[in-house]
Amino acid sequence: LAIFADIHNEPQAVNLITLIADCHRSQGQYSEALNEYQEALSRAPRRDPETISGMLSRIASLQRQTGDSAAAAETYSKLASLSNPGDANSKWVDATRDWCTSLIDAGKVDEGLRECAKLRKTVRAVNGNKDSVTELNILKSLVRSMQAANRKEAKGLVREQQGMARKLGVSQ
């Protein structure tokens, strides 16, 4: 990685900086990876939403992986704001789902549940108020976070998830 030390001086170095960050991450050097991802984000052209969303996604994922759920929630919120909330198949659903569950992981359970309920309502509306695999995936993530938080509400969510999976013919 030392051979790339001067790359930060290149004007179009976003891809190489991202590659360096990915290398740090794969070697378990999370602090260095996070710094490099943030550097790549700062250099990303503001007219390039794909690059920006890719960087935010990597940053949020790493923040969550290292246990900084509050920072991850903030980053996922930024990521969700870049996507179209009316498209239930977009990156917006994933980012919003991850934001909601990161809020729960950060101890903001009520806020996370409220935001997940809004997300599910939007997804249901787009799908003609019918169950969908997209909503099932939201439920799965919600159940994981609620179980990790040792919340009693997780049992009801598990039953709801199982019922929806049965209706959809999806194995658990």
Side-chain angles (χ1 to χ4, degrees):
L1 295 177
I3 61 172
F4 295 114
D6 289 334
I7 199 62
H8 293 103
N9 296 324
E10 297 297 321
Q12 300 298 323
V14 173
N15 291 337
L16 289 173
I17 295 170
T18 302
L19 180 62
I20 293 168
D22 290 343
C23 290
H24 281 301
R25 186 175 188 166
S26 71
Q27 294 176 359
Q29 300 167 345
Y30 301 127
S31 178
E32 292 88 346
L34 188 57
N35 289 337
E36 295 294 343
Y37 287 138
Q38 289 169 334
E39 176 69 21
L41 178 62
S42 74
R43 291 172 176 269
R46 296 296 161 221
R47 300 175 311 279
D48 186 358
E50 284 298 312
T51 300
I52 292 169
S53 65
M55 287 302 104
L56 288 172
S57 181
R58 282 179 165 97
I59 290 168
S61 172
L62 187 56
Q63 289 167 327
R64 196 167 194 186
Q65 181 181 353
T66 59
D68 194 351
S69 298
E74 185 178 323
T75 306
Y76 280 125
S77 176
K78 289 176 188 174
L79 180 59
S81 73
L82 296 177
S83 302
N84 180 5
D87 178 5
N89 294 314
S90 73
K91 293 177 183 178
W92 175 80
V93 172
D94 294 335
T96 304
R97 179 200 60 225
D98 292 340
W99 170 52
C100 296
T101 54
S102 291
L103 286 169
I104 293 167
D105 296 346
K108 298 178 180 182
V109 177
D110 292 338
E111 184 180 355
L113 286 173
R114 236 183 350 268
E115 296 303 327
C116 273
K118 289 179 192 176
L119 173 61
R120 289 181 64 194
K121 185 176 180 179
T122 300
V123 168
R124 286 190 79 75
V126 168
N127 288 303
N129 287 319
K130 296 178 182 172
D131 292 341
S132 66
V133 173
T134 301
E135 186 179 7
L136 179 61
N137 288 334
I138 295 165
L139 263 175
K140 285 179 182 178
S141 294
L142 184 55
V143 164
R144 276 194 299 272
S145 287
M146 293 298 281
Q147 287 174 331
N150 291 317
R151 297 293 295 230
K152 64 180 185 259
E153 299 96 325
K155 288 181 182 180
L157 290 168
V158 167
R159 284 191 297 276
E160 185 179 358
Q161 174 189 333
Q162 291 168 340
M164 187 180 292
R166 257 190 318 278
K167 285 182 195 176
L168 292 170
V170 177
S171 64
Q172 292 284 306

